[in-house]
Each structure stands twice: as C-alpha cells, then as structure tokens.
Amino acid sequence: MENAGNLEQKPLFNELQQGRELVKQLQMHLDPSYSEETRNMLVEKILSSFDKAISMVKWVSSDGEARPTGTTPVDSPRSDSGSPHSEDSDRRDIYKKRKTLPRWTEQIRVSSGTGLEGPLDDGYCWRKYGQKDILGAKYPRGYYRCTHRNVQGCLATKQVQRSDEDPSIFDVTYRGKHTCFQGSHLIPAMGTLESSKQMLKQDQVHHQDHLPEQQNEQQQAQEILFHFKTGLKVRTKDLDTGEQQQQQLMTSSFSFPSTPFECLKTENHIFSPPTVDHYFSGNLSPSFLSPATSESNYFPVSPCRVNSFGGGGYRNLQTSESDLTEIISAATSGTNSPIVDLDFPMDFDPIFPFNSPDFFPSCS
DNA sequence: CGGATTTGACCCCA
DNA sequence: TGGGGTCAAATCCG
C-alpha cells in the first residue's frame, strides 16, 4: 500500500464529487414537475454516496491490515507439480491460507418472476469446481473459483448457496481477493447478465484469494463496483448504519444496466473508470430483467458476463473477518454510486495501459 | 476441439 | 469421525 494514500483519496474524492452532483440534480428536480420518486431516489443516492465516502475515510484510516498471511498472491497452488513434497505442503498451505483469507458473505435475492434466477454476478469470471450437499441445507452449495486461477494464479473463490427459507435468496460467500486482471473486476457489475445465465444452472460461487492487502482493497473496491453495476444489492451485516437507507436505495430504484459492458468480458474490459462513472452518474437504467435464460438448476452462475437481477435486493452480508471487509461491505451497500475508481487506485497503476489488448485475458 | 460443468472421491480440520 | 472444501476424470456444450 505504498501509495495507497493517494490512491484511496481518489475514490473518496469521486464519491464526494458524485454526492455533489447528485445534490445538484436533486436541486433541479425539486421542481414539482418531477416525481417524488425521482427525488427520493436522488436523496438516497446522495446518502449512499456520503456513506461510501465515510466508509472510505474509515478504510483509509484503518487501512491496515487485513492482510492474509501470504503475500504472494499469485501462484497457482498446484502449478508446480514438481516435488511431491511441495505438493503436499502446498496443499496444506492452501488450507492455512484459506483460514486467513478475508471472507465475507452476501445475500443476494434473485427475482423469481422471470424464472431466471441468476443473479449473482459479480463481474468476475467464475468456474464451478464443485457442488456439495450441505448438512441441514435443502440446496446444495456450489463452489466456484476464478477462471483465471491457472493462468494468473488468482485464488479467489466463492460459494453459493440457496437459502432454505427463501429460494430466491442466495448466500454468496467470497473468499480471497482476485489477483487476476479480468475486466470483470473492474466492470464487474455488468457481468451480471450472463452470469445469471450460468448461475441459473449452478449454485453459487465463492471467490477469493489471499492477496496482499492491496489486493484486498482492490477486491473490495471491485466488489463494490460490481454490486453497483450489477445492481446487486448487497449488504453487509456489519455495516451498521446507513445500510438500510442504502438498501432502500438500491432496492428502490436503481439497477444497473446490465449491459454488455462487461461482457466485454474479460477481453476487453478495460474498464475505464471514467466510463463507469458515467454509467453511474447518468444512466443507471433500470433494466432488471435479465435476459438470461432460464434454465436453472439451483443457482445461477455467473460466468463472466453480465446478469441483471431482477429485482431483488440483497440482504445481508455477513461477515467478516476484517475491518476491510466491513468497509467494503459498507461501501458496497452504498451502492449506487460510482465507486469505480476505487479499484483502480488500488489495483492498478494509474498509468497502467488498460487499453492494451493483452492486458486483459479473456474469460473463457 | 477446447473449455466449462458434473460428480464421486479424497483431504483436512474441528 | 463427519462435514465441508477441493480435486480430477468424465461428460457436456458451443
């Protein structure tokens, strides 16, 4: 986190700026000719924006440590199938690391109206590697890991489990941060649509990695982004205040376009922050229905594309192990704003040539 | 044909 | 020892 300081300020700055913009918009909309709904939405967005900014401040000030043991994120665990010994210890390390990896859970509600259920797309490219029946749970739990695991050594994983009581709710537990550069990270939100498609078929995912702190931050940021874009509504339990408000927000009117940005899939996602910003600021179109298909098994899967959820809202996030997580969540819950920039700062070098074609690998 | 998913077996930890 | 998590061969799909 060397230059984290500055980097982190950017998102904060963006957040504040956004808040200001929203206030301006609200001001314009004070005109009675605008619907009350619109005004409420703006108010919520503004609140959310400030909440996020606050979260960021907290985050920055407490930046600390959530760093998992290993600071070497990337390296595919098994890549070196060399010595048997190492393989063995590798595996053990993995377990150990796993424990220390930041982990957080999000509850995502999928709209069931359309028959689609898939919601959970966080913009990352996930590959399902397992499914298991969990004791006491009606539905099996799906295990997903980052598609780029082998290529980039991204250890992020996620578990998706459908709620017993409310099948429309999926508990998604993320573990580890993404160390890979997928477009999704950045533009994750969009990934939602397609993801849903897949998700429909599958369960849930989990993702995470043990990344260094930077990565953590990144991830968080990314997550936030996702949610935003995706229109997901996620919340962290830990978040204390503001959440409800935020939630309302989310639930209320906003949804992100599930456009194909993301779909840009990994290949191009170059997420340009600005773009994202624009998105948020201006267009969040309410397209809730996801085009995705409807075949579903248990869970929706989200590959790398976008899904849009139908209207649901996320419910709680539980979690967490670290403050970061909380922060993240908080931010996440904030929702509608463009926090996009957060990611950048943390992950990438500002000067990084995102446009470079080879920068992003492809998702599938 | 390559990549993703399925699914039973295996491993580790509580 | 059992449950949860992961592996990996088989299978599916585009």
Side-chain angles (χ1 to χ4, degrees):
Chain A
M1 298 232 64
E2 305 50 88
N3 29 4
N6 288 330
L7 295 179
E8 284 163 0
Q9 288 184 17
K10 188 179 177 186
L12 176 59
F13 174 79
N14 288 336
E15 234 7 272
L16 293 171
Q17 180 143 44
Q18 188 191 3
R20 185 172 179 281
E21 289 303 313
L22 289 169
V23 171
K24 284 167 73 177
Q25 285 183 49
L26 178 60
Q27 188 173 39
M28 289 168 52
H29 287 68
L30 286 176
D31 182 311
S33 61
Y34 286 96
S35 71
E36 186 178 319
E37 196 179 325
T38 301
R39 290 194 295 267
N40 287 334
M41 184 182 80
L42 287 170
V43 170
E44 290 178 351
K45 287 169 69 176
I46 293 167
L47 289 173
S48 148
S49 198
F50 283 111
D51 285 339
K52 283 190 282 188
I54 291 169
S55 296
M56 287 177 209
V57 172
K58 283 200 246 169
W59 188 358
V60 173
S61 56
S62 64
D63 90 296
E65 290 295 344
R67 79 186 40 173
T69 17
T71 324
T72 5
V74 179
D75 258 356
S76 47
R78 301 193 159 199
S79 50
D80 62 303
S81 47
S83 60
H85 168 68
S86 70
E87 210 170 279
D88 217 45
S89 54
D90 262 4
R91 191 155 194 175
R92 214 159 270 178
D93 284 346
I94 292 174
Y95 281 95
K96 285 185 181 178
K97 286 181 184 177
R98 206 179 283 152
K99 281 187 179 179
T100 58
L101 291 179
R103 186 171 70 183
W104 65 96
T105 303
E106 298 178 0
Q107 289 193 332
I108 299 174
R109 168 172 282 158
V110 182
S111 67
S112 49
T114 56
L116 324 177
E117 317 194 333
L120 319 172
D121 220 359
D122 28 23
Y124 289 97
C125 297
W126 298 103
R127 165 180 251 168
K128 188 174 187 174
Y129 65 86
Q131 178 169 307
K132 190 142 204 200
D133 286 322
I134 299 302
L135 196 70
K138 264 188 202 171
Y139 305 94
R141 176 177 299 168
Y143 297 88
Y144 300 79
R145 70 172 148 229
C146 181
T147 301
H148 306 295
R149 180 174 187 160
N150 296 326
V151 182
Q152 300 181 30
C154 180
L155 301 179
T157 62
K158 79 177 177 181
Q159 301 178 337
V160 180
Q161 172 132 41
R162 184 173 238 174
S163 167
D164 288 355
E165 307 97 56
D166 188 344
S168 64
I169 295 176
F170 291 84
D171 284 338
V172 181
T173 302
Y174 293 90
R175 201 176 270 174
K177 306 214 161 194
H178 280 273
T179 52
C180 60
F181 291 109
Q182 323 184 38
S184 340
H185 290 256
L186 304 179
I187 306 186
M190 313 188 156
T192 337
L193 290 183
E194 288 210 358
S195 318
S196 345
K197 258 195 204 167
Q198 295 187 351
M199 300 288 275
L200 296 180
K201 297 180 181 179
Q202 311 181 356
D203 308 10
Q204 314 176 349
V205 184
H206 215 56
H207 69 241
Q208 267 288 327
D209 279 1
H210 39 324
L211 312 184
E213 295 179 356
Q214 290 184 343
Q215 293 181 349
N216 277 335
E217 294 176 356
Q218 257 193 333
Q219 252 200 341
Q220 295 179 352
Q222 293 177 353
E223 299 289 332
I224 297 171
L225 289 181
F226 295 166
H227 301 312
F228 283 155
K229 296 178 180 181
T230 324
L232 299 182
K233 305 155 177 189
V234 182
R235 308 175 99 183
T236 340
K237 284 183 176 179
D238 301 18
L239 300 185
D240 36 344
T241 55
E243 281 193 355
Q244 295 184 342
Q245 296 179 347
Q246 294 177 355
Q247 249 195 343
Q248 292 179 353
L249 280 182
M250 310 181 85
T251 336
S252 68
S253 27
F254 241 83
S255 40
F256 300 80
S258 36
T259 338
F261 282 141
E262 315 210 18
C263 264
L264 317 180
K265 292 179 110 234
T266 3
E267 298 130 288
N268 310 308
H269 311 354
I270 308 185
F271 48 102
S272 39
T275 307
V276 177
D277 245 4
H278 287 135
Y279 237 48
F280 285 96
S281 39
N283 318 300
L284 308 171
S285 60
S287 43
F288 288 128
L289 301 186
S290 61
T293 29
S294 49
E295 354 149 349
S296 53
N297 289 349
Y298 293 106
F299 318 87
V301 175
S302 51
C304 314
R305 303 179 179 175
V306 182
N307 299 333
S308 45
F309 300 64
Y314 292 74
R315 285 191 146 179
N316 329 299
L317 287 183
Q318 306 186 344
T319 27
S320 19
E321 310 189 337
S322 58
D323 291 326
L324 289 178
T325 305
E326 289 183 13
I327 294 172
I328 295 172
S329 318
T332 307
S333 53
T335 23
N336 324 321
S337 11
I339 301 192
V340 180
D341 296 23
L342 285 177
D343 295 349
F344 306 110
M346 316 197 160
D347 285 349
F348 309 88
D349 177 333
I351 304 175
F352 189 89
F354 295 106
N355 296 329
S356 105
D358 38 28
F359 178 65
F360 299 95
S362 58
C363 251
S364 52

